[in-house]
Amino acid sequence: MSSRENRAILASFGVFVLALAGLAVLEGTLGVPVGDGPLAALAFAVAIVLPQLYLALTDDEVAPRTRLGVAAVLAGLFALGFVAAPTGTPSLLLFGAAGIALLVVCRREIRAAYRESIGNDDAASRR
């Protein structure tokens, strides 16, 4: 029997295939080239980011903060990889969402490290 993590990744891959099929239909019916733009980046991000978010809520083995950090970093990488120069509203929205996610993760990590350093200093000063 497969683990919950494997099932979540497999389900997101299925959503990814459906998203790519939807993009192909959209491109075929409307004639709009969407294969290289932010919509394709969104389809790729779905395959990796959504299972990380789901597992952050449900998995007890890995810390949710770690899963959210992975999702934010991967979203930022996909945004940078698919949109070389942010032009147009969809590209700016993609960059904005990825940038906000990265800022939130950085803030959390800095705050956690600060609290840990304060806690260690308090314990050392009590000795």
Side-chain angles (χ1 to χ4, degrees):
M1 185 165 188
S2 62
S3 69
R4 181 185 327 175
E5 186 170 358
N6 290 339
R7 288 191 307 260
I9 292 171
L10 185 62
S12 70
F13 181 72
V15 171
F16 168 66
V17 170
L18 289 175
L20 285 182
L23 287 174
V25 168
L26 181 67
E27 189 171 354
T29 57
L30 297 178
V32 177
V34 294
D36 294 333
L39 292 177
L42 184 62
F44 281 114
V46 162
I48 293 179
V49 172
L50 282 183
Q52 294 298 322
L53 296 177
Y54 169 74
L55 291 169
L57 292 173
T58 61
D59 191 18
D60 295 332
E61 294 178 19
V62 178
R65 192 174 86 200
T66 302
R67 295 240 186 233
L68 292 176
V70 167
V73 168
L74 290 174
L77 289 176
F78 279 117
L80 291 175
F82 279 92
V83 184
T87 58
T89 304
S91 298
L92 290 175
L93 288 175
L94 185 63
F95 266 113
I100 289 171
L102 288 172
L103 287 175
V104 167
V105 168
C106 288
R107 181 186 175 274
R108 282 185 140 179
E109 289 299 321
I110 290 169
R111 185 176 180 190
Y114 176 73
R115 285 186 174 181
E116 185 177 322
S117 72
I118 295 274
N120 290 340
D121 288 344
D122 288 344
S125 66
R126 291 180 189 162
R127 289 183 190 177

